[in-house]
Amino acid sequence: MTATITLTTDFGTRDSYVAQLKGVLLQLGPAALRIVDLSHEIGAQNVREAAFFLRCAVPRFAPGTVHLAIVDPGVGSARRALVAEARGQYLIGPDNGIFGWLLDAGAHVHALTATPQSAPGGSVSSTFHGRDVFAPAAARLARGEALAVFGPRVVDPVRLAWPQPVRSGARTSGEVVHVDRFGNLISNIERDALPAGPSWVSLGAEPIGPLRDHYAEVGQGALLALIGSEGLLEVAVRDGSAAVVMGVGVGAKVEVETKSPAGT
Amino acid sequence: MTATITLTTDFGTRDSYVAQLKGVLLQLGPAALRIVDLSHEIGAQNVREAAFFLRCAVPRFAPGTVHLAIVDPGVGSARRALVAEARGQYLIGPDNGIFGWLLDAGAHVHALTATPQSAPGGSVSSTFHGRDVFAPAAARLARGEALAVFGPRVVDPVRLAWPQPVRSGARTSGEVVHVDRFGNLISNIERDALPAGPSWVSLGAEPIGPLRDHYAEVGQGALLALIGSEGLLEVAVRDGSAAVVMGVGVGAKVEVETKSPAGT
Amino acid sequence: MTATITLTTDFGTRDSYVAQLKGVLLQLGPAALRIVDLSHEIGAQNVREAAFFLRCAVPRFAPGTVHLAIVDPGVGSARRALVAEARGQYLIGPDNGIFGWLLDAGAHVHALTATPQSAPGGSVSSTFHGRDVFAPAAARLARGEALAVFGPRVVDPVRLAWPQPVRSGARTSGEVVHVDRFGNLISNIERDALPAGPSWVSLGAEPIGPLRDHYAEVGQGALLALIGSEGLLEVAVRDGSAAVVMGVGVGAKVEVETKSPAGT
């Protein structure tokens, strides 16, 4: 059977860091190994951006997949490293919150206590744990080794608080948590958290309009609010960039006013 | 046998959209699946750029390859989705012209009428057809399902007119249709469309010189015209950027004056 | 057994050049072929940057791997093309120094004398040797063909001189040879070339401090010098960019003053 290891890093590909990871994985992993690039363009040392990325991406993969994620500003410090199993998939990376939105109560989390090692032909360093600690361990996970062999159980992995929207009567207040390549402003307001009934959205002081189902409900260049592909309310411009048009980004306030269906 | 699905999108890789596609393909596709990234850097919502990209790339692949291409400004509108077979390869994407230069008369084109679906563990949305409509269908194509199961025959897919150069006596007039990373100005003038005989090229009012065979026929930094790797006339600067040197881009006029071989 | 071909180019992925390479490799290579992207973001026509990249990446891969590397400003000129075997791995690309730091005395180097050819369905050009010369040959290497079938032995491949640091008594003088995505300034001073004993580092006229083991030995935003993941001395800023803070790049002078352990 083919094992799959995915890669999510902030390394870019102009440097050789990702290439080195891949070499180590292919040397130490199972013979039938599929390496799948998720992203190497996470903002440099932006753990929170990586955590949001993984929150969206990981649930789409099959049980048994190994996800290696390295955005690691604390490399070389005392920060722990983790291997974990959550909903049948495996996660491996620094214990800095990068998996903070995936490690739910049912997850099995262990410390990764290995000393840096090299694949044949290579040297070892104290600064590139991605290559010398995480990749060898990911290769072993993909070969089927159990979590417990990597280190002791961890009960307090770093978790990230999901910024909860605040609901007050008919009003739900949240904020932009991600701006995507198309300039869509993605908020922390989940579809399921909204009261039933027609909703009216504003962004800061700016009225956006009713909550829509499709981009095509408004004309080209018009602003709209809809539930995006993650089930989160987003503000968009049809065939344009809401981030550019509105001049705002992460942290901007979003408000939804919902009329009860009975019109009371 | 290993099935191959290629990906061409305008998603970039800083967001998780490509990662999500890959997860769905791996969950729903055949066990021995090879995912091949072609590009995620197509200009945002630039269907014409994607169409030129695919016109160059697809013919290089083997029969049986499935090409999933998503540059889809009309997602959520009434635009159709397509699955097609052209010269033994499979194409799947929105019906917006993205395959406009590949769907020749012999192509078999069907509508893709599936309702959005999710892979195990995921949710469904009305805004991300790439993940919820196209990827599941591409996985089924890669498993060997027939075109007809996806929807009815389509006889009028959106085609793009290739901007034909104009020939008037010894003069052939065309335009720049693509500028590549190196600043090469690629025109719509095909080698085979030129009359026989030595040719002289100009770009707008600027004389470039005779049509060359190799970059190395001119000195470093010099302008030249030659037939590029797609069989199209291009204007280049040896070890430099013609786009920068000439200050022009897509749409710039290119003219070729051909002397008949007999010198008449 | 699965064959592996890695790709290192300066093509970017907005153009279709990489996609075309992949199509040819999949058509002409062995059935069980794994294509591994190392980088397509090498600086345009920057052979030296590619050579440094490959010097770091290639040793991490397993014997039998085929590395196809194309940064080729001289395409179409009389520059030779090479196929080589070095430490059990295979290298294929232009003879312009791109493998200059990998072709040691024990390497077997042959000229690649093939005329351009196309995979089924494609045309041939005089400007895209990556697709029409190198990819078909890489596919044949991956199928197990011997070096000698590609052309005669080459005894004088283009090598690059590694800029040797200069040692004068307790003082070792070198220079920055690479700046990575994080702004780390990587020098040509190898750990093993330094005399034993505590070392003090400066960058140009600026004192940096003692040679450290870990980023975490200094505070956030502080400058430090340490031995990086390639065994080379580098100047870094913890959680920041030394290139930005110091305003320097490739070529900047680095000096190390080492006290002998006996304190003499």
Side-chain angles (χ1 to χ4, degrees):
Chain A
M1 216 201 85
T2 304
T4 299
I5 298 178
T6 81
L7 301 180
T8 304
T9 76
D10 64 347
F11 294 165
T13 55
R14 187 157 181 173
D15 299 308
S16 67
Y17 303 128
V18 171
Q20 294 186 54
L21 281 187
K22 290 178 175 179
V24 172
L25 291 172
L26 290 171
Q27 283 213 66
L28 301 183
L33 174 63
R34 182 163 39 203
I35 297 177
V36 179
D37 292 301
L38 299 193
S39 178
H40 303 295
E41 303 302 330
I42 301 295
Q45 311 200 330
N46 193 333
V47 174
R48 199 180 173 83
E49 185 179 313
F52 184 76
F53 183 103
L54 292 164
R55 177 190 193 273
C56 300
V58 167
R60 304 293 165 177
F61 282 81
T65 306
V66 175
H67 299 282
L68 173 53
I70 310 170
V71 176
D72 193 12
V75 65
S77 72
R79 72 99 184 86
R80 288 182 303 197
L82 298 180
V83 292
E85 185 258 296
R87 303 186 177 210
Q89 299 191 67
Y90 296 93
L91 308 171
I92 176 164
D95 181 23
N96 60 11
I98 198 169
F99 302 125
W101 289 325
L102 292 169
L103 296 176
D104 52 26
H108 301 279
V109 187
H110 283 253
L112 169 60
T113 56
T115 46
Q117 70 165 111
S118 74
S123 53
V124 154
S125 85
S126 61
T127 58
F128 192 6
H129 283 191
R131 181 190 70 197
D132 299 334
V133 174
F134 293 117
R140 290 169 64 192
L141 271 178
R143 297 179 86 101
E145 292 196 29
L147 293 188
V149 306
F150 294 97
R153 190 79 185 270
V154 166
V155 296
D156 58 347
V158 174
R159 295 173 198 276
L160 296 181
W162 178 253
Q164 288 297 342
V166 174
R167 188 154 149 204
S168 158
R171 180 166 305 202
T172 308
S173 303
E175 63 189 271
V176 172
V177 293
H178 183 68
V179 180
D180 76 10
R181 184 192 207 198
F182 302 96
N184 298 315
L185 302 163
I186 301 169
S187 81
N188 60 338
I189 301 175
E190 301 188 63
R191 174 180 30 206
D192 302 342
L194 288 175
S199 292
W200 181 274
V201 179
S202 32
L203 179 71
E206 197 76 38
I208 302 297
L211 190 58
R212 312 274 189 177
D213 286 325
H214 297 286
Y215 295 112
E217 289 175 44
V218 301
Q220 292 215 344
L223 275 160
L224 76 158
L226 80 177
I227 300 297
S229 59
E230 291 306 310
L232 297 170
L233 187 150
E234 65 186 58
V235 173
V237 164
R238 184 174 175 195
D239 299 341
S241 165
V244 169
V245 168
M246 302 299 291
V248 301
V250 168
K253 298 298 163 205
V254 178
E255 244 181 33
V256 187
E257 183 92 40
T258 308
K259 267 198 193 153
S260 93
T264 54
Chain B
M1 216 201 84
T2 304
T4 300
I5 299 178
T6 80
L7 301 180
T8 304
T9 77
D10 64 348
F11 293 164
T13 55
R14 187 157 181 173
D15 299 307
S16 66
Y17 303 129
V18 171
Q20 294 186 55
L21 282 186
K22 290 179 176 179
V24 172
L25 291 172
L26 290 171
Q27 282 214 65
L28 302 182
L33 175 63
R34 182 162 39 204
I35 297 177
V36 180
D37 291 301
L38 299 194
S39 178
H40 303 294
E41 302 302 330
I42 302 294
Q45 310 201 329
N46 193 333
V47 173
R48 198 180 174 85
E49 186 179 312
F52 185 76
F53 183 103
L54 292 164
R55 176 190 194 272
C56 300
V58 168
R60 303 294 165 177
F61 283 81
T65 306
V66 175
H67 299 282
L68 173 53
I70 311 171
V71 176
D72 193 12
V75 63
S77 71
R79 71 101 184 84
R80 288 181 305 197
L82 297 180
V83 291
E85 186 257 296
R87 302 185 178 211
Q89 299 191 67
Y90 296 93
L91 309 171
I92 176 165
D95 182 22
N96 60 11
I98 198 169
F99 302 125
W101 289 325
L102 292 169
L103 296 176
D104 52 27
H108 301 279
V109 187
H110 283 253
L112 169 60
T113 56
T115 47
Q117 70 164 110
S118 74
S123 54
V124 153
S125 85
S126 59
T127 58
F128 192 7
H129 283 190
R131 181 189 70 197
D132 298 334
V133 175
F134 292 118
R140 290 168 64 192
L141 270 177
R143 297 179 85 100
E145 293 197 29
L147 293 188
V149 307
F150 294 96
R153 190 77 187 269
V154 165
V155 295
D156 58 347
V158 174
R159 295 173 197 276
L160 296 180
W162 179 252
Q164 288 297 341
V166 175
R167 187 153 151 204
S168 157
R171 179 165 306 203
T172 307
S173 304
E175 63 190 271
V176 172
V177 293
H178 183 69
V179 180
D180 76 11
R181 185 192 206 200
F182 301 96
N184 298 315
L185 303 163
I186 300 170
S187 82
N188 60 337
I189 301 176
E190 301 189 62
R191 173 179 32 206
D192 302 342
L194 289 175
S199 291
W200 182 274
V201 179
S202 31
L203 179 70
E206 197 76 38
I208 302 295
L211 191 59
R212 311 275 188 178
D213 286 325
H214 297 285
Y215 294 112
E217 289 176 45
V218 301
Q220 291 215 344
L223 276 160
L224 76 159
L226 79 177
I227 300 297
S229 59
E230 290 306 309
L232 297 170
L233 186 149
E234 65 186 57
V235 174
V237 164
R238 184 175 174 195
D239 299 340
S241 164
V244 169
V245 168
M246 301 299 290
V248 301
V250 168
K253 297 297 164 205
V254 179
E255 242 180 36
V256 188
E257 184 92 40
T258 307
K259 267 198 194 153
S260 94
T264 53
Chain C
M1 216 202 86
T2 304
T4 300
I5 299 178
T6 80
L7 301 180
T8 303
T9 77
D10 65 346
F11 294 164
T13 55
R14 187 157 181 173
D15 299 308
S16 67
Y17 303 129
V18 171
Q20 294 186 55
L21 282 187
K22 291 179 175 177
V24 171
L25 291 172
L26 289 171
Q27 282 214 65
L28 301 183
L33 175 63
R34 181 164 39 204
I35 297 177
V36 180
D37 291 302
L38 299 195
S39 178
H40 304 295
E41 302 303 330
I42 302 295
Q45 310 200 331
N46 193 333
V47 173
R48 198 179 175 83
E49 185 179 312
F52 185 76
F53 184 102
L54 292 165
R55 177 191 193 274
C56 300
V58 167
R60 303 294 165 176
F61 282 82
T65 306
V66 175
H67 299 282
L68 173 54
I70 310 170
V71 176
D72 194 11
V75 63
S77 72
R79 71 97 185 88
R80 287 181 307 197
L82 298 180
V83 292
E85 186 258 296
R87 304 186 177 209
Q89 299 191 68
Y90 296 93
L91 308 171
I92 176 164
D95 181 22
N96 59 11
I98 197 168
F99 302 124
W101 290 324
L102 292 170
L103 296 176
D104 52 27
H108 302 278
V109 187
H110 284 254
L112 169 60
T113 57
T115 46
Q117 69 165 108
S118 74
S123 54
V124 154
S125 84
S126 61
T127 57
F128 192 7
H129 283 191
R131 181 190 70 199
D132 299 334
V133 174
F134 292 116
R140 290 169 63 193
L141 271 177
R143 297 180 85 101
E145 293 197 28
L147 293 187
V149 307
F150 294 97
R153 190 78 186 270
V154 165
V155 295
D156 58 347
V158 174
R159 295 176 198 274
L160 295 181
W162 179 252
Q164 288 297 341
V166 174
R167 188 156 148 202
S168 158
R171 180 167 305 206
T172 308
S173 304
E175 62 189 271
V176 172
V177 293
H178 183 68
V179 180
D180 75 10
R181 185 194 206 199
F182 301 96
N184 298 315
L185 302 163
I186 300 169
S187 82
N188 59 338
I189 300 175
E190 301 188 62
R191 174 178 31 205
D192 302 342
L194 288 176
S199 292
W200 181 275
V201 179
S202 32
L203 178 71
E206 197 75 40
I208 302 296
L211 190 58
R212 311 274 189 177
D213 286 325
H214 297 286
Y215 295 114
E217 289 175 45
V218 301
Q220 292 214 344
L223 275 160
L224 76 159
L226 79 177
I227 301 297
S229 59
E230 290 307 309
L232 297 170
L233 186 149
E234 66 187 57
V235 174
V237 164
R238 182 171 176 198
D239 299 341
S241 165
V244 169
V245 167
M246 301 299 292
V248 301
V250 169
K253 297 299 165 206
V254 178
E255 244 180 34
V256 187
E257 184 92 40
T258 307
K259 268 199 193 152
S260 92
T264 53

